[in-house]
Amino acid sequence: NAGVMQNPRHLVRRRGQEARLRCSPMKGHSHVYWYRQLPEEGLKFMVYLQKENIIDESGMPKERFSAEFPKEGPSILRIQQVVRGDSAAYFCASSRGDRPYGYTFGSGTRLTVV
Amino acid sequence: AQSVTQPDIHITVSEGASLELRCNYSYGATPYLFWYVQSPGQGLQLLLKYFSGDTLVQGIKGFEAEFKRSQSSFNLRKPSVHWSDAAEYFCAVENQAGTALIFGKGTTLSVSS
């Protein structure tokens, strides 16, 4: 019974490149959430998705960031033209979507922009 | 706006001593509250959660937390700390829309021998 799977675990990108982070939710979970953890800070919500729908993107930066959760396959968080300030740990969580929610987190992707 | 405050950035406790990590929240209605633990380089593991009912919640690894509405607090406790408990601890409250968790900035726990 695999948990939330994120890959890659570590990702190094040069400034200006694109970063793609993948998240496969737990079996039976159809709701995905992305969070970002900057050094010395807690986790900040970015976006909440269900299959083929973005439900809440209030935490997403307005430019360069996008997320999707297609009908088939993992959820993707995409960062275009990365900058040094994008270096962070990105965590994905999933839930079944019924309250009270049980959120299960993945191990994260640590993005380093050089 | 909803928020979570963890007043202590870093706490050091002797092995075998008791532990209390503080968490205060700002929320209008009955909150859904969580405590997570994160070991270095790892993801977040749920320790316990409160939704309703008994205000004293039992979690994994011998942790418990008490919800006190009058104090807007949800403090995490453990009677006897083990060296393996050294980690970062995050308190979180679910937002009113039920679409996200709002996290505190975390408390780093060090355990001395």
Side-chain angles (χ1 to χ4, degrees):
Chain A
N1 188 15
V4 177
M5 304 301 293
Q6 289 189 249
N7 63 80
R9 289 294 304 273
H10 299 275
L11 181 62
V12 179
R13 283 288 177 265
R14 295 186 184 277
R15 282 177 292 170
Q17 290 185 320
E18 179 180 285
R20 283 187 177 233
L21 288 62
R22 289 178 290 277
C23 169
S24 296
M26 273 189 71
K27 188 176 181 179
H29 288 190
S30 59
H31 298 243
V32 165
Y33 313 78
W34 286 94
Y35 290 79
R36 178 166 64 175
Q37 184 177 34
L38 292 166
E40 308 302 323
E41 293 193 19
L43 284 83
K44 302 290 187 185
F45 167 74
M46 299 181 75
V47 62
Y48 162 38
L49 311 102
Q50 297 176 21
K51 287 284 187 180
E52 299 183 284
N53 284 303
I54 296 175
I55 307 302
D56 181 350
E57 56 181 348
S58 59
M60 284 280 270
K62 297 302 179 192
E63 297 178 350
R64 301 188 298 107
F65 285 72
S66 62
E68 63 176 6
F69 189 16
K71 187 175 181 181
E72 301 290 337
S75 175
I76 305 289
L77 179 67
R78 182 182 177 204
I79 311 172
Q80 295 178 290
Q81 300 173 345
V82 296
V83 301
R84 288 242 173 94
D86 296 332
S87 295
Y90 293 82
F91 290 94
C92 170
S94 71
S95 77
R96 292 189 321 189
D98 51 338
R99 259 186 157 167
Y101 300 127
Y103 300 91
T104 302
F105 280 81
S107 296
T109 293
R110 279 143 185 88
L111 172 66
T112 303
V113 179
V114 297
Chain B
Q2 298 159 293
S3 64
V4 174
T5 302
Q6 294 180 247
D8 304 304
I9 297 173
H10 192 182
I11 283 183
T12 299
V13 175
S14 298
E15 191 169 15
S18 63
L19 169 71
E20 182 169 29
L21 301 182
R22 296 183 290 164
C23 172
N24 294 97
Y25 65 89
S26 171
Y27 190 85
T30 299
Y32 291 170
L33 294 158
F34 304 77
W35 273 100
Y36 285 88
V37 61
Q38 184 182 30
S39 297
Q42 301 299 312
L44 281 79
Q45 182 181 22
L46 178 66
L47 287 175
L48 46 79
K49 58 191 175 188
Y50 171 78
F51 294 129
S52 64
D54 194 344
T55 56
L56 186 61
V57 180
Q58 300 297 322
I60 63 170
K61 304 185 178 186
F63 286 93
E64 67 177 27
E66 186 170 11
F67 169 60
K68 292 186 177 180
R69 184 188 298 275
S70 62
Q71 298 177 18
S72 297
S73 69
F74 188 56
N75 294 348
L76 182 71
R77 301 194 293 246
K78 186 169 185 179
S80 177
V81 167
H82 188 261
W83 64 267
S84 60
D85 293 324
E88 190 156 20
Y89 292 79
F90 293 97
C91 180
V93 64
E94 188 180 80
N95 70 357
Q96 201 156 0
T99 58
L101 292 179
I102 300 164
F103 284 87
K105 291 194 174 182
T107 297
T108 300
L109 173 66
S110 297
V111 180
S112 61
S113 56

